[in-house]
């Protein structure tokens, strides 16, 4: 007899991000990568932020709009 496949579970898996786009915070809570886009000098630009949810991503973008600043140039990165 063949195994029964739960189609709802399979469908839900496809609605989740790939593992490399799902992170955990220091307390084990899931965090996700969200894309941000903006226009400057007639061109479209984009970057990423990490947030707990779509609403959290929007709140983080609002905080960037309100208090964001350039603090320095990134010259390298230590791999995790």
């Amino acid at each position: 007899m063949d195994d029964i496949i739960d189609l709802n579970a399979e469908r839900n898996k496809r609605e989740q991000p790939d593992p490399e786009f799902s992170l955990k915070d220091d307390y084990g809570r899931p965090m996700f990568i969200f894309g941000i886009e903006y226009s400057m000098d007639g061109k479209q630009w984009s970057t990423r932020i990490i947030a707990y949810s779509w609403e959290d991503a929007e709140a983080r973008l609002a905080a960037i709009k309100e208090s964001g600043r350039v603090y320095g140039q990134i010259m390298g990165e230590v791999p995790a």
Side-chain angles (χ1 to χ4, degrees), residues 8-9 18 48 58:
N8 283 329
D18 290 341
R48 301 172 179 191
E58 289 179 331

Side-chain angles (χ1 to χ4, degrees), residues 9-77:
E10 292 301 314
R11 190 175 304 112
N12 289 339
K13 282 183 195 175
R14 287 183 296 193
E15 294 175 4
Q16 297 299 316
D18 290 341
E20 63 267 23
F21 296 101
S22 180
L23 312 162
K24 300 257 186 222
D25 69 6
D26 292 339
Y27 301 101
R29 296 176 297 184
M31 296 189 81
F32 307 98
I33 299 173
F34 291 85
I36 296 172
E37 64 182 7
Y38 59 97
S39 298
M40 183 174 160
D41 299 329
K43 296 181 181 177
Q44 288 293 114
W45 299 87
S46 65
T47 190
R48 301 172 179 191
I49 61 170
I50 299 170
Y52 292 105
S53 65
W54 188 282
E55 294 78 16
D56 184 43
E58 289 179 331
R60 289 172 187 267
L61 178 57
I64 291 168
K65 288 179 185 178
E66 184 178 315
S67 63
R69 66 181 182 88
V70 177
Y71 65 86
Q73 182 179 356
I74 307 299
M75 302 299 283
E77 184 173 81

